[in-house]
Amino acid sequence: MSRDPWAALATQRRRRHWKQWPWGLIALGLALLSLSGAFFIFMLVGAAMRPPGDGAGVNLRPYVIALAVAELVTVSTGIVAAVLGWHLNRGRATAALAMVLLSLWLGVLLHDLL
C-alpha cells in the first residue's frame, strides 16, 4: 500500500460504478417516498372537502397533477431499482420488500380505475 496521500485521495474520489450501487436500498427508499405521497393525497382530498357555497375555493388541479406526476416518477424508478437490485444481487431482500410495497401501493392507486 502506498503512503502517498494523493494516491489515497484519488482512490477515494473514484466513483463507484452504477452496478455496485445498493439498488435494493434505493428501491426501498423510493417505495417509502412514494408511500409518503399518500399523506399529500389525503391532505388534498381533505382540502377539497369544503362546505357547498363557500366562496373561498382554491383550484387544486395543479397540485393533483403535480402529485400524480411525482407518484408516477417515484413508482416507476422504484420498480426499476428493485429489478436492478434483484438481478444484480445488490440487496435482494430489500428489493423484494420494495416490490411488495410498490405493488400494494399501485393496487390502492389503481383500484378505482380498474
Side-chain angles (χ1 to χ4, degrees), residues 13-89:
R13 286 187 182 167
R14 188 174 16 156
R15 294 183 62 195
R16 291 167 70 177
H17 196 262
W18 63 270
K19 287 186 178 181
Q20 295 177 349
W21 290 355
W23 287 108
L25 287 175
I26 293 170
L28 186 61
L30 287 169
L32 293 175
L33 181 68
S34 178
L35 287 175
S36 68
F39 297 115
F40 295 116
I41 290 173
F42 295 141
M43 284 193 300
L44 283 177
V45 168
M49 292 181 185
R50 56 185 179 268
D54 187 12
V58 177
N59 186 11
L60 296 177
R61 183 171 296 193
Y63 300 111
V64 172
I65 291 172
L67 185 61
V69 169
E71 285 291 326
L72 179 69
V73 168
T74 56
V75 167
S76 60
T77 55
I79 290 172
V80 168
V83 168
L84 280 173
W86 186 264
H87 284 294
L88 296 176
N89 201 14

Side-chain angles (χ1 to χ4, degrees), residues 1-14:
M1 184 155 165
S2 174
R3 293 190 181 257
D4 184 20
W6 296 107
L9 187 61
T11 57
Q12 282 181 347
R13 286 187 182 167
R14 188 174 16 156

